[in-house]
Amino acid sequence: AGTCAAISAARLGLSVAQSYSSLGEPVKAEAPLVTAIPRAERALGRDHPVTLRLKIERAIAIGLKDPRGAEALLAEVIPLALQGLPETARDTADAIEQRSYVRAKQDRAEESYADLLQATALRERYLGRLHEDTIWGIGGLSNTYGRFGDRTRQLATAEDALRRARQAL
């Protein structure tokens, strides 16, 4: 019964955190995550998709105030998520994408680009070229090129995302 309660508590913490994030309040997501992560690790294990998702959400929540902490958390998550492919494809791509954004905030352009290209390749392989997550990820890559002033790659990448979106519709 204790394990069942821990699993339910971990999933509830994830749901609350994702709700805060979807409301544009990722910082408020941290408190339920801090409680839910150890519960998930004990009940489900470090490599379970719920545990991985909780840690990704925590990295999102702390990314602005503690980019190094977020990157360290993602460095723990990404290898475990990669081992779970194909079941963990979405979480793996999301974790790599979040690492990219953390690196971009630290002005590490080339590392950020490489992460976004890797996340896109994973999404294309496991979700498909025209999947909504793949297209959104390409849009994020375009924005990152723009952040660092590479307007040529920004435009070409945005056009690729637009073409794919039109094909998907």
Side-chain angles (χ1 to χ4, degrees):
T3 301
C4 228
I7 292 168
S8 294
R11 289 179 194 253
L12 180 60
L14 178 59
S15 179
V16 169
Q18 288 176 325
S19 295
Y20 277 125
S21 288
S22 70
L23 292 171
E25 299 279 355
V27 174
K28 290 182 180 178
E30 187 176 4
L33 293 167
V34 168
T35 304
I37 289 170
R39 287 179 175 161
E41 287 181 328
R42 281 191 306 273
L44 302 168
R46 290 182 61 235
D47 61 347
H48 190 278
V50 171
T51 306
L52 297 175
R53 188 77 234 173
L54 285 162
K55 290 180 179 183
I56 294 166
E57 293 295 331
R58 179 144 193 252
I60 293 168
I62 67 172
L64 288 175
K65 69 177 183 177
D66 183 10
R68 286 194 176 108
E71 189 169 4
L73 191 54
L74 293 166
E76 177 187 331
V77 168
I78 292 168
L80 294 171
L82 284 166
Q83 290 174 9
L85 289 172
E87 291 81 16
T88 58
R90 215 179 215 151
D91 289 332
T92 304
D94 288 352
I96 293 168
E97 183 176 77
Q98 286 308 312
R99 183 177 65 186
S100 164
Y101 296 148
V102 168
R103 289 175 168 177
K105 288 176 186 128
Q106 298 173 50
D107 292 324
R108 293 159 56 193
E110 294 305 319
E111 290 172 280
S112 180
Y113 300 153
D115 280 343
L116 287 170
L117 290 167
Q118 183 183 7
T120 298
L122 282 165
R123 287 181 175 126
E124 286 176 335
R125 179 174 179 190
Y126 293 105
L127 304 177
R129 281 188 78 255
L130 303 181
H131 190 277
E132 179 181 4
D133 289 356
T134 305
I135 295 167
W136 275 105
I138 293 168
L141 176 60
S142 174
N143 289 340
T144 302
Y145 285 138
R147 180 189 197 291
F148 291 108
D150 189 338
R151 302 294 179 230
T152 302
R153 285 200 288 184
Q154 179 186 20
L155 180 60
T157 306
E159 287 172 342
D160 180 28
L162 181 60
R163 265 191 309 278
R164 291 180 192 218
R166 284 184 175 144
Q167 286 177 331
L169 294 176

